[in-house]
Amino acid sequence: MAADNRPLSPHLQVYRPQITSVLSISHRISGVFMAAGLCVLVYWLTALAGGPGAYADAVGLLGSWPVQILLFAWVVAFFYHFLNGIRHLIWDTGHGFEIEQVNRSGKFVLIAAAVLAVLFWFGVRMGGGA
Amino acid sequence: MSLRTPLGRVLGLGSSGGGTGHWWSQRVTAVALALLGIWFVFALLSLDLSSRADVSGWLSRPLNAVLMVILLGVAAYHSLLGTEVVVEDYTRGSARVLGRVALQFAHVVVAGVGIFAVLKLAFGG
Ligand code: HEM
């Protein structure tokens, strides 16, 4: 077969979505989304190094509600990718491949990521009180 | 009988020419990011993020500056390795080459700018 018309992976459309496949593609989506998030982290650092005026501008921008929605999505992506990444690393040691184990660890990752994301979001202080 | 040459068997690089190096680096950076991620999460929780004095005081301490520089470098490398695989999965030919080169440029720029900002702060404003 000519090298330029081989099929490309991974044919998402032909499978019925299941917890295994949905969590797998979510790892990819969260990873790519966080790659974009690196730009935001670096923007925040440059504003910090830029002085009080630049930092105040950044706090204003990052605190505006459309950006807050995006930031919350990044927090969710981080905790999901973090926990699911550890799940990947456990698989790499050869453990946890039985189908009930895969389903169980998948559910655990989903619930734990949601809980950690919410705890973190409400734990972060942006000025003022507690 | 195997059709592989003895040299090919010893090098073990397979058809991609890259062997397991890319995969292994993705794992090593993942372990590092898991640890650095925990550090960063607790650091963010300990700060008042709206106060520049608070955040810059924290980041200019040597240990924090060093960990932040390492986090930026490792995250950019892990992200580059990961997004390269994504581009390789969905593109071919010149789009694949251009995509990978663009990702390499972008990741080096992002890491470079971020590391410069941390060092500027750590070395005094
Ligand atoms: C916080 C700790 C992290 C852990 C434990 C982790 C773990 C992993 C692992 C094990 C993989 C390989 C998955 C596979 O082979 O399918 C992976 C892929 C990836 N990671 Fe991470 N990661 C972390 C943080 C990050 C960060 C901060 C970014 C981006 C800035 C990122 C972006 C990616 C991307 C783009 C991929 C490729 C996804 C794919 O091929 O489908 N990761 N991660």
Side-chain angles (χ1 to χ4, degrees):
Chain A
M1 193 186 282
D4 63 353
N5 64 3
R6 289 177 191 157
L8 292 171
S9 65
H11 312 300
L12 291 177
Q13 314 84 332
V14 303
Y15 293 110
R16 179 172 59 83
Q18 301 169 67
I19 182 168
T20 41
S21 62
V22 171
L23 294 196
S24 170
I25 193 60
S26 299
H27 194 76
R28 172 158 284 193
I29 292 168
S30 60
V32 171
F33 187 54
M34 278 202 291
L38 277 181
C39 300
V40 179
L41 174 64
V42 166
Y43 163 72
W44 176 69
L45 290 170
T46 56
L48 189 63
Y55 195 68
D57 288 348
V59 168
L61 182 63
L62 297 174
S64 68
W65 70 262
V67 181
Q68 287 276 298
I69 294 175
L70 267 175
L71 285 176
F72 184 68
W74 266 304
V75 167
V76 172
F78 171 81
F79 282 109
Y80 173 74
H81 190 98
F82 170 78
L83 293 169
N84 200 55
I86 292 170
R87 186 166 167 248
H88 261 285
L89 295 174
I90 294 170
W91 284 334
D92 292 337
T93 69
H95 294 88
F97 279 118
E98 296 301 327
I99 193 67
E100 340 61 279
Q101 293 175 309
V102 172
N103 288 338
R104 210 169 339 112
S105 61
K107 279 187 201 129
F108 173 80
V109 161
L110 273 182
I111 294 168
V115 170
L116 290 179
V118 169
L119 282 178
F120 178 79
W121 188 254
F122 289 105
V124 162
R125 284 171 304 147
M126 275 288 267
Chain B
M1 194 196 79
S2 166
L3 293 176
R4 302 180 65 191
T5 64
L7 178 63
R9 271 215 302 282
V10 170
L11 293 177
L13 295 180
S15 62
S16 70
T20 53
H22 191 281
W23 184 91
W24 181 246
S25 298
Q26 186 96 58
R27 311 293 130 169
V28 175
T29 52
V31 172
L33 281 178
L35 299 172
L36 290 162
I38 293 170
W39 164 76
F40 192 48
V41 160
F42 280 103
L44 287 179
L45 287 171
S46 76
L47 297 165
D48 174 357
L49 295 182
S50 67
S51 157
R52 177 171 185 273
D54 207 14
V55 181
S56 63
W58 165 77
L59 192 56
S60 34
R61 287 214 296 280
L63 177 66
N64 296 328
V66 167
L67 288 174
M68 195 66 205
V69 166
I70 295 175
L71 185 150
L72 285 166
V74 175
Y77 188 41
H78 176 91
S79 172
L80 173 61
L81 291 169
T83 50
E84 273 184 325
V85 174
V86 177
V87 165
E88 284 163 4
D89 277 352
Y90 304 123
T91 62
R92 56 179 135 229
S94 56
R96 177 179 289 189
V97 176
L98 284 175
R100 288 189 55 181
V101 172
L103 283 175
Q104 288 163 0
F105 271 63
H107 278 90
V108 170
V109 168
V110 166
V113 172
I115 289 169
F116 175 76
V118 177
L119 295 181
K120 179 170 183 287
L121 205 70
F123 291 138

